[in-house]
Amino acid sequence: MVVFEVTRKETTPFDGQKPGTSGLRKKVVVFQQPNYLHNFVQSTFDALTSEKVQGATLVVSGDGRYFSKDAIQIIIKMAAANGVRRIWVGLNGLLSTPAVSCVIRERVGADDFGIKYNMENGGPAPEAITDKIYANTKTIKEYLIAENLPDVDISTIGVTKFTGPEGSYDVEVFDSASDYVELMKSIFDFESIQKLLASPKFTFCYDALHGVAGAYAKRIFVEELGAKESSLLNCTPKEDFGGGHPDPNLTYAKELVMRMGLGKSNPQDEPPEFGAAADGDADRNMILGKRFFVTPSDSVAIIAANAVQSIPYFSSGLKGVARSMPTSAALDVVAQNLSLKFFEVPTGWKFFGNLMDAGLCSICGEESFGTGSDHIREKDGIWAVLAWLSILAYKNKDNLNGDKLVTVEDIVHQHWATYGRHFYTRYDYENVDATGAKELMSYLVNIQSSLQEVNKIIKGIRLDVSDVVDADEFEYKDPVDGSVSKHQGIRFLFADGSRLVFRLSGTGSEGATIRLYIEQYVKDSSKTSRDSQEALAPLVEVALKLSKMQEFTGRSAPTVIT
């Protein structure tokens, strides 16, 4: 058995190591700087205090991107030096974000501690912790590391044992899919999904975009549910994501979009009935039908509306539902119709986690392709796909041998007929002048003091747009811990249920990003199938002119429209 020693290494702080809701995000070359990763890891251990770190269990894995394996070995050595008792590593260093949350919740005992910027509940660290981490990064003078600890073989399942000043230290490499698959099988009726996938009329396609979801896709969709292996696209995890950008949207999931018949040219073969994509760490998702795109805002609303009938985990009812503030109000309408508790929270999954821990929320989602439930404390891309397959299986349970299956598009249109449709788009103005961006936001806050004046301006732009009945700068008081989050975005709420939302992010020397969310609510079922751009055009014009977007930013068009 290898005996390791603890070395104290001198270091100096790096600027800008402030973690967000998903930890510290920087370019690989930044993390490869000498001591950069070491400083942040030590600052994290110090923020947690020695009482929590000593004898603890740590889950260490990643999505397989370049430098992940090197980082894992460094963290293993630093964890040993800081008194951690046990390390769990997914096979080949791979664990999806939802699987990490699952492992923490399912495997960790009451006396253990799990962290991947995640706390004991499996959810993201709260600001109280991330603020301590950041404070430590600004004053750090040394870090601890077991330099003579040999690298651990993370390509083979098993336990490697060491011993050090604090006693024994184990590193266990485990099958990263097993715990997660078992959890999914406890939530969904896999037999009913198997019957759907076995139907000759149903075809299926899943694109992992060469991210970590590929480590789970074959196991779940092929081995457990019986889908054809040819149904899987880009399901081999790669350090560079195959040269692509692992974002599950219509821009970056190009191969899937083409296969589903949504590209500029028609595919040679008939598109599948159902398609889905994942991002690099498998916590986000995109849902597609044949020649049909489901917006993330609609997706969470439709899952919530159908969950009790379609998913065994929710058979006794939903505790409540929640969405991030910029996400469309489609979920609000479902909650109102089904008499469910409803919460509108700031952007950040930790706010959902608080509600779930308190037993107030079952299903939640955000417009940036994140959907999840209280089975873990992270968004979960594969869970969302299985939820949709469950709904399709339920809708077709008596129809698998019929002439035509109920499709994704059918389900969405049925939903709109019942609840109305929230036409929705997001305009991103990236890297705009920070001063101009702040002035725009201040201007919007100022005009909110007189809704009469706001409506006068709007009527001067478009007579066919409803009146604004409320406007504010969104502020959230957490019903669980009482914490208050201010300045979360500027809202204009219209009499017909439509909304305009403006949010500002990043105000450093390199500029800022203004995000504009435009939402037109239509209840009349004869108008819910209109072209989205056509339906949104009046509100888009109002949003751009009311905010004086071009005047403040110098931009005649957004950088990205989603």
Side-chain angles (χ1 to χ4, degrees), residues 237-377:
K238 294 184 177 180
E239 287 189 339
D240 64 350
F241 302 116
H245 188 62
D247 242 349
N249 58 44
L250 295 172
T251 300
Y252 293 115
K254 295 175 183 175
E255 190 174 350
L256 176 67
V257 167
M258 289 295 294
R259 186 177 286 201
M260 296 303 297
L262 286 163
K264 292 180 180 177
S265 58
N266 291 323
Q268 292 180 334
D269 300 320
E270 182 71 3
E273 290 294 328
F274 179 85
D279 69 331
D281 60 351
D283 61 352
R284 293 187 293 130
N285 72 96
M286 176 173 67
I287 302 297
L288 301 173
K290 183 187 293 185
R291 304 185 187 92
F292 191 82
F293 168 64
V294 183
T295 71
S297 297
D298 277 344
S299 182
V300 65
I302 290 167
I303 291 172
N306 291 277
V308 174
Q309 298 92 337
S310 306
I311 302 171
Y313 181 81
F314 301 114
S315 60
S316 60
L318 301 181
K319 300 165 188 171
V321 295
R323 62 165 173 83
S324 65
M325 186 273 286
T327 303
S328 98
L331 185 61
D332 312 33
V333 180
V334 171
Q336 185 176 6
N337 276 262
L338 301 182
S339 300
L340 296 172
K341 288 176 185 167
F342 169 78
F343 302 91
E344 181 180 30
V345 307
T347 299
W349 213 261
K350 62 188 175 185
F351 297 104
F352 296 133
N354 263 10
L355 296 172
M356 290 172 179
D357 284 347
L360 297 173
C361 178
S362 295
I363 291 175
C364 56
E366 56 190 16
E367 53 79 30
S368 53
F369 295 86
T371 326
S373 90
D374 61 351
H375 67 291
I376 55 173
R377 296 298 180 267

Side-chain angles (χ1 to χ4, degrees), residues 29-76:
V29 291
V30 175
F31 270 101
Q32 287 177 312
Q33 296 175 89
N35 291 356
Y36 191 91
L37 173 65
H38 302 71
N39 278 20
F40 188 72
V41 171
Q42 188 63 54
S43 296
T44 302
F45 284 137
D46 292 344
L48 298 172
T49 72
S50 60
E51 288 80 13
K52 280 195 172 183
V53 175
Q54 294 284 330
T57 294
L58 188 70
V59 182
V60 183
S61 288
D63 61 9
R65 71 183 65 203
Y66 186 71
F67 192 59
S68 287
K69 291 180 179 178
D70 304 86
I72 288 168
Q73 298 294 346
I74 291 168
I75 294 170
I76 288 173

Side-chain angles (χ1 to χ4, degrees), residues 58 185 222 230 235 351 386 415 443 484 495 518 559:
L58 188 70
K185 290 174 77 171
V222 176
S230 59
C235 280
F351 297 104
L386 291 170
H415 185 86
Y443 167 75
V484 177
I518 303 162
T559 314

Side-chain angles (χ1 to χ4, degrees), residues 86-88 152 156-161 169-173:
R86 185 185 303 110
I87 295 284
W88 286 337
V152 175
T156 304
I157 291 173
V159 180
T160 307
K161 293 182 175 292
Y169 177 62
D170 299 342
V171 180
E172 179 185 350
V173 179

Side-chain angles (χ1 to χ4, degrees), residues 404-439:
K404 183 181 181 298
L405 295 178
V406 175
T407 67
V408 169
E409 185 174 0
D410 293 336
I411 290 169
V412 174
H413 281 284
Q414 288 167 7
H415 185 86
W416 291 341
T418 304
Y419 299 102
R421 179 178 180 183
H422 292 258
F423 291 94
Y424 184 85
T425 190
R426 182 176 111 185
Y427 282 29
D428 286 2
Y429 294 81
E430 298 175 351
N431 200 30
V432 301
D433 176 72
T435 301
K438 290 177 181 177
E439 289 175 351

